[in-house]
PDB file of all heavy atoms in Angstrom:
ATOM      1  N   CYS A  12     -19.147 -38.882  18.385  1.00 93.00           N
ATOM      2  CA  CYS A  12     -19.001 -37.555  17.775  1.00 93.00           C
ATOM      3  C   CYS A  12     -19.063 -36.503  18.877  1.00 93.00           C
ATOM      4  O   CYS A  12     -19.836 -36.623  19.814  1.00 93.00           O
ATOM      5  CB  CYS A  12     -20.138 -37.372  16.767  1.00 93.00           C
ATOM      6  SG  CYS A  12     -20.431 -35.669  16.286  1.00 93.00           S
ATOM      7  N   ALA A  13     -18.229 -35.469  18.765  1.00 90.00           N
ATOM      8  CA  ALA A  13     -18.158 -34.435  19.804  1.00 90.00           C
ATOM      9  C   ALA A  13     -19.457 -33.640  19.904  1.00 90.00           C
ATOM     10  O   ALA A  13     -19.708 -32.988  20.899  1.00 90.00           O
ATOM     11  CB  ALA A  13     -16.991 -33.496  19.510  1.00 90.00           C
ATOM     12  N   ARG A  14     -20.297 -33.704  18.889  1.00 91.00           N
ATOM     13  CA  ARG A  14     -21.489 -32.872  18.883  1.00 91.00           C
ATOM     14  C   ARG A  14     -22.761 -33.679  19.080  1.00 91.00           C
ATOM     15  O   ARG A  14     -23.547 -33.388  19.972  1.00 91.00           O
ATOM     16  CB  ARG A  14     -21.545 -32.101  17.578  1.00 91.00           C
ATOM     17  CG  ARG A  14     -22.488 -30.953  17.624  1.00 91.00           C
ATOM     18  CD  ARG A  14     -22.032 -29.829  16.727  1.00 91.00           C
ATOM     19  NE  ARG A  14     -23.199 -29.108  16.266  1.00 91.00           N
ATOM     20  CZ  ARG A  14     -23.823 -29.396  15.129  1.00 91.00           C
ATOM     21  NH1 ARG A  14     -23.365 -30.335  14.343  1.00 91.00           N
ATOM     22  NH2 ARG A  14     -24.883 -28.722  14.788  1.00 91.00           N
ATOM     23  N   CYS A  15     -22.981 -34.694  18.258  1.00 93.00           N
ATOM     24  CA  CYS A  15     -24.245 -35.418  18.355  1.00 93.00           C
ATOM     25  C   CYS A  15     -24.104 -36.720  19.140  1.00 93.00           C
ATOM     26  O   CYS A  15     -25.090 -37.332  19.491  1.00 93.00           O
ATOM     27  CB  CYS A  15     -24.828 -35.676  16.964  1.00 93.00           C
ATOM     28  SG  CYS A  15     -23.857 -36.817  15.966  1.00 93.00           S
ATOM     29  N   GLY A  16     -22.850 -37.140  19.415  1.00 92.00           N
ATOM     30  CA  GLY A  16     -22.643 -38.326  20.236  1.00 92.00           C
ATOM     31  C   GLY A  16     -22.797 -39.636  19.490  1.00 92.00           C
ATOM     32  O   GLY A  16     -22.688 -40.702  20.084  1.00 92.00           O
ATOM     33  N   ARG A  17     -23.051 -39.597  18.176  1.00 93.00           N
ATOM     34  CA  ARG A  17     -23.147 -40.810  17.386  1.00 93.00           C
ATOM     35  C   ARG A  17     -21.776 -41.481  17.355  1.00 93.00           C
ATOM     36  O   ARG A  17     -20.766 -40.802  17.171  1.00 93.00           O
ATOM     37  CB  ARG A  17     -23.589 -40.445  15.965  1.00 93.00           C
ATOM     38  CG  ARG A  17     -24.122 -41.592  15.167  1.00 93.00           C
ATOM     39  CD  ARG A  17     -25.130 -41.088  14.120  1.00 93.00           C
ATOM     40  NE  ARG A  17     -24.490 -40.188  13.147  1.00 93.00           N
ATOM     41  CZ  ARG A  17     -24.015 -40.589  11.957  1.00 93.00           C
ATOM     42  NH1 ARG A  17     -24.107 -41.841  11.609  1.00 93.00           N
ATOM     43  NH2 ARG A  17     -23.463 -39.727  11.141  1.00 93.00           N
ATOM     44  N   LEU A  27     -15.729 -34.502  14.867  1.00 91.00           N
ATOM     45  CA  LEU A  27     -17.134 -34.579  14.500  1.00 91.00           C
ATOM     46  C   LEU A  27     -17.358 -35.720  13.518  1.00 91.00           C
ATOM     47  O   LEU A  27     -16.471 -36.053  12.734  1.00 91.00           O
ATOM     48  CB  LEU A  27     -17.561 -33.281  13.835  1.00 91.00           C
ATOM     49  CG  LEU A  27     -17.436 -32.014  14.679  1.00 91.00           C
ATOM     50  CD1 LEU A  27     -17.799 -30.799  13.854  1.00 91.00           C
ATOM     51  CD2 LEU A  27     -18.317 -32.092  15.916  1.00 91.00           C
ATOM     52  N   CYS A  28     -18.568 -36.283  13.562  1.00 93.00           N
ATOM     53  CA  CYS A  28     -18.925 -37.286  12.574  1.00 93.00           C
ATOM     54  C   CYS A  28     -19.095 -36.586  11.215  1.00 93.00           C
ATOM     55  O   CYS A  28     -19.230 -35.369  11.176  1.00 93.00           O
ATOM     56  CB  CYS A  28     -20.220 -37.989  12.993  1.00 93.00           C
ATOM     57  SG  CYS A  28     -21.679 -36.944  12.924  1.00 93.00           S
ATOM     58  N   ASP A  30     -21.553 -36.156   9.235  1.00 94.00           N
ATOM     59  CA  ASP A  30     -22.759 -35.334   9.126  1.00 94.00           C
ATOM     60  C   ASP A  30     -22.581 -33.981   9.802  1.00 94.00           C
ATOM     61  O   ASP A  30     -22.890 -32.940   9.231  1.00 94.00           O
ATOM     62  CB  ASP A  30     -23.956 -36.052   9.774  1.00 94.00           C
ATOM     63  CG  ASP A  30     -24.420 -37.226   8.931  1.00 94.00           C
ATOM     64  OD1 ASP A  30     -23.917 -37.359   7.797  1.00 94.00           O
ATOM     65  OD2 ASP A  30     -25.263 -37.994   9.415  1.00 94.00           O
ATOM     66  N   CYS A  31     -22.066 -34.018  11.055  1.00 94.00           N
ATOM     67  CA  CYS A  31     -21.879 -32.770  11.794  1.00 94.00           C
ATOM     68  C   CYS A  31     -20.812 -31.918  11.121  1.00 94.00           C
ATOM     69  O   CYS A  31     -20.920 -30.701  11.078  1.00 94.00           O
ATOM     70  CB  CYS A  31     -21.475 -33.043  13.234  1.00 94.00           C
ATOM     71  SG  CYS A  31     -22.810 -33.766  14.205  1.00 94.00           S
TER      72      CYS A  31
HETATM   73 ZN1  LIG B 101     -22.183 -35.822  14.877  1.00 57.98          ZN
END
Side-chain angles (χ1 to χ4, degrees):
C12 162
R14 196 149 151 268
C15 67
R17 198 152 63 95
L27 299 176
C28 68
D30 288 352
C31 291

